[in-house]
Amino acid sequence: MIQLESLTKQYGPTTVVDGVTLAIASGSITVIVGTSGSGKSTLLRMINRLIEPSGGRVLIDGHDTSATPVHLLRRKIGYAIQGHGLFPHRTVGENIATVPRLLGWSAARIQARVDELLRIFQLEPAEFAAKFPHQLSGGQQQRVGVARALAAEPAVLLMDEPFGALDPIIRGKAQQDLLDIQRRFGTTVVLVTHDMDEAFHLGDHVAVMSQGRLLQYDPPALLLTRPADPFVSRLTGTADRSLKLLSLTTAGEAAEPGVGEGPSVPAAASLREVLSDLVWSGATAATVMRSDGTPAGRLTLAGILARGRAG
Amino acid sequence: MRRLGLLLRLAAFSLLVAFLVMPQRFAPLFAPFTEYGAPPIYDQGSLLALAAAHLGTVFLAAAASTVVAVSLGILVTRPSGAEFLPLSRTLVGIGQTFPPVAVLAIAVPLVGFGETPTLIALFAYGLLPIFENTISALQTCPSSVIEAARGMGMSSRQRLLGVELPLAMPLILEGIRLSVVINVGTATIGSTVAAKGLGEVIIAGLLSNNTAFILQGGLVTGLMAMLLYDGMAGLEKRLLRAVHVG
Amino acid sequence: MTPTPPPLHRIDRLGALLGTASIAAVAWLPFVTFKANRIASGTARSLFEVLPFGTALAVAGIVVVVAAAAIGVASPRSRLAAAIVGIAVVALALAAAAADLTPPGNRLVRVSPGVGCWVLLLVQALLATDALARLRPGPGLRVLCLALTGAVLYAAFALGLFDQLSIMREYAVNAGTFAREARQHVLLATGSLGAAVLVGLPLGVLCHKVPRLRAATLQVLNLIQTIPSIALFGILMVPLGALATAAPWARELGVSGIGAAPAVIALFLYALLPVVANATVGLGRVSPAAVDAARGMGLTGRQVLTQIELPLALPVIVTGIRIVLVQNIGLVTVAALIGGGGFGTFVFQGVGQTAIDLVLLGAIPTVVLAFSSAVVLDALVDVMSRAPQ
């Protein structure tokens, strides 16, 4: 549980973050979105005190973060940034081992952890541990950046536009990796992005920032159906909001009992994808299949459309 | 802050000119540094004339170096001169490891004592920074700009005069400034081979054990070099502002 | 697309220029200058006047072959080999000429290389340099080449090959002081460099952390650099002289108005600019993302500096040290004027006595020292920059 209590940052007369209060549940993914200059990065960097708040406080599991020396605090919090920030003069293995070494782990434990993380990120340790960052592709560098942030098994992971420098295909893969890893370790993730689709795809909760203030902090669906501010609806975009809403629900969640005659769709597919399938094939219903091949129910065109309606 | 800088420069310049024009007025200042009633102010020639000769030598050599170095720089960066480029680059690198004193000392036996070896040494040594900067400026000209100029149908001569040289100008000017500053110092050493210049005052002080001479020679050349460097940097800025809008 | 075949007999214009120059030097320029004694005026002798006809013809023939290779051979390796052979042959011819012209037991006669000999050596050195520049040898190979050249030269001098040359006569006279001045030269250059690194590196770090300090510091150091060396030596003599008179402890430490003290301080002041400027630039170039990540992961300020910033800035810092060392080796020469010692002693003595060989005895080792330091430190920078950046 991370609690931000009227967190404020001022530089001289300008207020960059203005009294933000929010509570982040343990084991969830919270995405902070906003345009550039909205104060979202500053908000994130106040959590590990890379920026000292001018007012308010941050509690992690009930403990005020200002009570711990900054460098000790940061070693317990994972941190991954855009452009990965890998140390160019250290190998991949040494990069990942940074925080464990600072914490004084034994060499054997560090070795084991580095190998484990590299495998999780589909980088074969024997091949990659001794490489230098510049010998990796952009996607690989980014994965090492996240692996490094997770090295000391932090309960909290802060990510500042971690996928900003990746091309769309690699970015999709990286987002999926993050979801898998978050599920696996139960890490509390706070991620900053300006990409609304990324926020919707990753976030259990989305916090919308503008001009230093927190406009809305809700699950993605509520941002679409009940925007708290005209700025929120502008940011989420109104042209395709019904489709966005459909993309938040999977076929498995929405399936009605019965068997359809149309095409079969996987339970993990979003309603948006199912709708697209139905429009393409000209069918009015689809059968939802579980990953083990058993039918989970059916979806009708009318049923899907009803779920994309406001309210 | 800027005001203070301007004031300091003006003060330094006025002080230098005042001392060169009427050095005797400063005699009480230097008197404590003399012994056994030695003259406190350099008396074997006019300081003003020495300063003029010093600057004359420096600028004559710098002008010659500029013409030769820039032409050579242009030559070796054209496609027809490409064969000379690798050697030119290496030579500039090696040349700069030659101490100016060595250049000067080697010139003496070739042409004898006096102005000529100093001029030759200043010219040769002054070539390096200008040549180096000209080459790297012309080579680092953004290729997109040159492509655009070609695309608009500019001849290679028009490209050189209208695009490449103006873009290279800041670095070339910097090279000339470096060259002049090095020259001021080398010309001072030139006095050991009987070239007319302010080094004479220091050498005379060293030979006759007259600290006042050493001090005034050192201060005058030091001040002159600093003002020259500073003034040329200012001039560069104005010139560049005139060439490039903004 | 068919590749255009390389022209068969392509003429290398650089080679043509240098080759022609070397042939002209053999044909028309004097190979050595002969003097009956140190102060007599010299007479110029051509290659064919000083060597037996057959030998001279062979030397001339080799020079022509090297010139031909420069003009018509494209492979840099062959060109390099030809140039090296050329240099060796000219050097041997020079040694032979000096031996032939010197009557046995005569220690008065002076034989020095003439214009033609210098031109030949220069032209062939240029050819070798050009070939080397095209071959782009790696840092290790460059240092190896330097060491090999050094070893060959050492062997040649140790064998007394050039003992009959005028410059070696000067050396023989000054052999004792030569070693002392050489040591003094190196000490002055490296001592002030060490001090400048000790002071300049922390100052550079400070300038990096405090941008307002940076502009002011660099401006002041820049101005110091513009002061002519001899002027700065002179200015420093005054306060140091006063200090030595006023404080006996300072005098006991060897501080005095003339000699090494003002030289070391002046060199130190000159050295500060490259050290501080390069440290600041190097630290400034370290990727901000890496520093941000390091801080975010909980490295302390000192750990960020010593583990991330300084290692990454090291190649640029060492480049600054290379600039300083080469600059210092040159400037130490001037220190001889104020009694600081070093190779400059020979240069200025030579200038005073109009003895070119004595001048060269000071100037050539200075250049060799500066050049070798540049090669070694350049190689070091190369190795460090090749390590991942």
Side-chain angles (χ1 to χ4, degrees):
Chain A
M1 179 81 154
I2 306 172
Q3 288 157 283
L4 313 185
E5 293 181 353
S6 25
L7 210 52
T8 299
K9 181 67 194 181
Q10 288 164 321
Y11 290 105
T14 25
T15 303
V16 186
V17 173
D18 191 357
V20 171
T21 298
L22 61 86
I24 294 162
S26 291
S28 70
I29 300 185
T30 296
V31 179
I32 307 173
V33 283
T35 49
S36 57
S38 61
K40 55 187 191 303
S41 274
T42 310
L43 186 66
L44 182 86
R45 290 159 68 89
M46 281 196 284
I47 298 178
N48 64 356
R49 288 170 62 205
L50 274 171
I51 295 177
E52 284 293 337
S54 318
R57 52 182 199 155
V58 178
L59 304 177
I60 296 181
D61 295 333
H63 299 290
D64 191 336
T65 52
S66 63
T68 320
V70 270
H71 60 278
L72 298 182
L73 171 74
R74 291 179 194 150
R75 288 174 195 175
K76 290 191 292 191
I77 302 177
Y79 184 58
I81 55 176
Q82 175 167 17
H84 62 73
L86 293 177
F87 304 142
H89 60 309
R90 293 191 176 169
T91 63
V92 166
E94 289 166 343
N95 263 288
I96 296 176
T98 306
V99 182
R101 271 190 197 155
L102 289 173
L103 293 174
W105 287 17
S106 71
R109 187 175 168 204
I110 294 175
Q111 180 70 44
R113 180 64 177 165
V114 169
D115 288 355
E116 178 192 1
L117 280 167
L118 282 173
R119 285 209 185 86
I120 290 173
F121 282 93
Q122 301 116 45
L123 299 165
E124 185 46 44
E127 186 189 345
F128 286 96
K131 281 195 174 174
F132 284 96
H134 73 104
Q135 296 168 305
L136 307 182
S137 70
Q140 290 167 338
Q141 289 172 339
Q142 191 276 335
R143 275 184 269 165
V144 175
V146 178
R148 184 176 67 171
L150 291 170
E153 298 164 1
V156 176
L157 173 60
L158 307 181
M159 307 180 91
D160 194 348
E161 307 228 3
F163 311 128
L166 301 179
D167 65 55
I169 292 175
I170 301 178
R171 185 184 311 179
K173 167 94 172 74
Q175 289 168 341
Q176 199 50 52
D177 282 352
L178 177 68
L179 287 173
D180 294 346
I181 280 154
Q182 193 268 340
R183 235 164 267 149
R184 176 174 184 149
F185 293 120
T187 317
T188 311
V189 176
V190 186
L191 183 147
V192 161
T193 182
H194 61 263
D195 178 352
M196 213 56 213
D197 290 330
E198 185 165 276
F200 274 52
H201 179 44
L202 296 176
D204 297 318
H205 277 73
V206 175
V208 181
M209 298 273 298
S210 175
Q211 297 181 329
R213 298 215 321 280
L214 176 65
L215 296 182
Q216 186 166 7
Y217 176 53
D218 272 317
L222 281 182
L223 255 58
L224 290 167
T225 53
R226 258 177 279 154
D229 187 287
F231 180 80
V232 175
S233 25
R234 243 185 301 144
L235 200 66
T236 54
T238 49
D240 62 344
R241 58 184 160 186
S242 58
L243 295 176
K244 276 208 178 98
L245 195 57
L246 289 178
S247 72
L248 293 172
T249 312
T250 63
E253 289 163 357
E256 303 156 17
V259 177
E261 59 271 31
S264 33
V265 294
S270 73
L271 290 186
R272 180 181 178 152
E273 289 161 330
V274 179
L275 176 65
S276 173
D277 255 14
L278 292 178
V279 172
W280 190 256
S281 60
T284 55
T287 305
V288 180
M289 306 294 277
R290 292 195 191 87
S291 54
D292 58 9
T294 57
R298 66 179 198 130
L299 281 170
T300 61
L301 196 53
I304 296 173
L305 293 180
R307 278 177 174 272
R309 233 163 264 151
Chain B
M1 195 60 199
R2 182 176 281 182
R3 261 252 180 79
L4 181 75
L6 190 69
L7 233 87
L8 266 174
R9 288 177 182 119
L10 263 176
F13 183 71
S14 328
L15 192 69
L16 181 66
V17 172
F19 183 75
L20 289 177
V21 174
M22 36 188 192
Q24 290 306 331
R25 291 278 178 87
F26 293 81
L29 274 178
F30 288 102
F33 299 107
T34 56
E35 285 172 333
Y36 316 116
I41 298 293
Y42 187 65
D43 55 356
Q44 295 156 33
S46 144
L47 283 171
L48 193 61
L50 285 180
H54 197 108
L55 286 181
T57 316
V58 166
F59 282 117
L60 188 62
S65 314
T66 304
V67 172
V68 174
V70 173
S71 322
L72 280 178
I74 292 173
L75 212 70
V76 299
T77 48
R78 300 306 97 187
S80 54
E83 280 163 23
F84 294 84
L85 189 60
L87 181 65
S88 311
R89 294 220 87 137
T90 322
L91 277 188
V92 168
I94 296 177
Q96 273 161 348
T97 64
F98 273 63
V101 190
V103 180
L104 188 68
I106 292 172
V108 172
L110 296 178
V111 292
F113 283 81
E115 304 298 331
T116 334
T118 311
L119 265 176
I120 289 179
L122 294 192
F123 164 74
Y125 206 72
L127 282 175
L128 298 172
I130 308 177
F131 185 57
E132 182 180 32
N133 281 20
T134 307
I135 296 181
S136 46
L138 288 175
Q139 280 198 312
T140 53
C141 234
S143 55
S144 57
V145 175
I146 297 181
E147 273 305 297
R150 276 164 62 121
M152 285 184 284
M154 291 169 94
S155 70
S156 57
R157 187 193 163 79
Q158 287 167 327
R159 279 203 304 273
L160 176 67
L161 295 178
V163 180
E164 294 179 66
L165 276 182
L167 281 176
M169 206 40 85
L171 257 184
I172 298 180
L173 287 177
E174 192 193 294
I176 296 176
R177 173 160 50 107
L178 271 177
S179 166
V180 166
V181 168
I182 297 172
N183 276 358
V184 171
T186 314
T188 318
I189 306 166
S191 300
T192 57
V193 296
K196 275 223 157 310
L198 286 164
E200 236 178 88
V201 184
I202 303 175
I203 306 284
L206 286 170
L207 291 177
S208 63
N209 240 337
N210 186 333
T211 315
F213 284 7
I214 299 176
L215 194 58
Q216 61 198 253
L219 288 176
V220 167
T221 33
L223 208 56
M224 207 166 77
M226 293 205 286
L227 282 171
L228 211 55
Y229 175 83
D230 193 60
M232 286 185 75
L235 205 66
E236 265 167 52
K237 265 192 202 148
R238 300 194 65 174
L239 259 175
L240 293 179
R241 224 175 291 149
V243 174
H244 305 278
V245 184
Chain C
M1 288 258 306
T2 47
T4 43
L8 276 179
H9 295 288
R10 202 176 126 277
I11 285 183
D12 183 289
R13 276 181 292 170
L14 174 74
L17 183 72
L18 294 178
T20 318
S22 64
I23 293 173
V26 168
W28 290 296
L29 293 175
F31 190 70
V32 295
T33 307
F34 175 84
K35 290 195 252 183
N37 57 55
R38 190 170 182 237
I39 51 167
S41 61
T43 51
R45 306 274 173 93
S46 79
L47 183 64
F48 287 87
E49 286 172 300
V50 291
L51 287 178
F53 183 77
T55 320
L57 197 64
V59 171
I62 290 169
V63 168
V64 172
V65 170
V66 172
I71 295 169
V73 177
S75 141
R77 273 169 211 279
S78 318
R79 292 165 69 98
L80 180 63
I84 290 174
V85 168
I87 292 171
V89 166
V90 171
L92 288 173
L94 178 65
D100 279 2
L101 285 174
T102 311
N106 183 327
R107 302 204 62 81
L108 291 176
V109 163
R110 292 299 181 110
V111 182
S112 46
V115 184
C117 182
W118 284 122
V119 169
L120 277 175
L121 288 173
L122 179 72
V123 160
Q124 287 165 342
L126 285 177
L127 281 173
T129 311
D130 178 54
L132 266 177
R134 285 169 204 256
L135 280 172
R136 295 170 182 276
L141 200 58
R142 291 205 301 267
V143 173
L144 190 72
C145 284
L146 181 72
L148 269 178
T149 315
V152 168
L153 282 178
Y154 181 81
F157 283 112
L159 287 172
L161 209 55
F162 300 108
D163 276 358
Q164 306 304 327
L165 275 182
S166 186
I167 181 169
M168 290 313 288
R169 287 283 169 76
E170 294 289 353
Y171 172 75
V173 174
N174 292 293
T177 38
F178 188 86
R180 199 180 66 220
E181 300 300 1
R183 203 164 40 240
Q184 175 80 348
H185 202 107
V186 172
L187 273 179
L188 282 177
T190 53
S192 51
L193 167 69
V197 172
L198 281 183
V199 174
L201 215 50
L203 193 57
V205 172
L206 206 64
C207 284
H208 171 66
K209 303 278 178 202
V210 190
R212 288 175 62 184
L213 193 66
R214 178 175 354 173
T217 310
L218 290 183
Q219 208 162 15
V220 170
L221 294 180
N222 238 321
L223 278 186
I224 292 180
Q225 278 251 328
T226 63
I227 303 177
S229 48
I230 181 172
L232 189 55
F233 288 145
I235 295 172
L236 284 172
M237 286 169 72
V238 176
L240 287 173
L243 180 67
T245 326
W249 59 265
R251 205 166 40 238
E252 268 165 41
L253 279 177
V255 173
S256 74
I258 57 162
V264 168
I265 293 180
L267 293 173
F268 161 78
L269 289 175
Y270 284 129
L272 276 182
L273 177 69
V275 174
V276 175
N278 279 47
T280 321
V281 169
L283 290 170
R285 273 195 210 159
V286 173
S287 133
V291 174
D292 185 42
R295 291 182 58 220
M297 283 190 293
L299 276 77
T300 61
R302 173 188 289 269
Q303 286 169 333
V304 174
L305 182 67
T306 56
Q307 296 182 17
I308 310 298
E309 294 184 290
L310 282 179
L312 287 175
L314 203 59
V316 186
I317 294 175
V318 175
T319 307
I321 291 177
R322 172 226 188 264
I323 295 171
V324 170
L325 189 57
V326 169
Q327 171 187 296
N328 266 3
I329 290 173
L331 284 172
V332 170
T333 327
V334 185
L337 275 179
I338 55 163
F343 289 130
T345 316
F346 301 122
V347 174
F348 290 112
Q349 268 177 19
V351 167
Q353 304 168 9
T354 346
I356 171 167
D357 298 308
L358 195 52
V359 169
L360 290 179
L361 187 64
I364 291 176
T366 312
V367 172
V368 169
L369 200 58
F371 178 71
S372 314
S373 327
V375 171
V376 171
L377 282 178
D378 274 341
L380 192 65
V381 171
D382 260 21
V383 168
M384 285 192 303
S385 323
R386 256 180 220 193
Q389 275 297 302

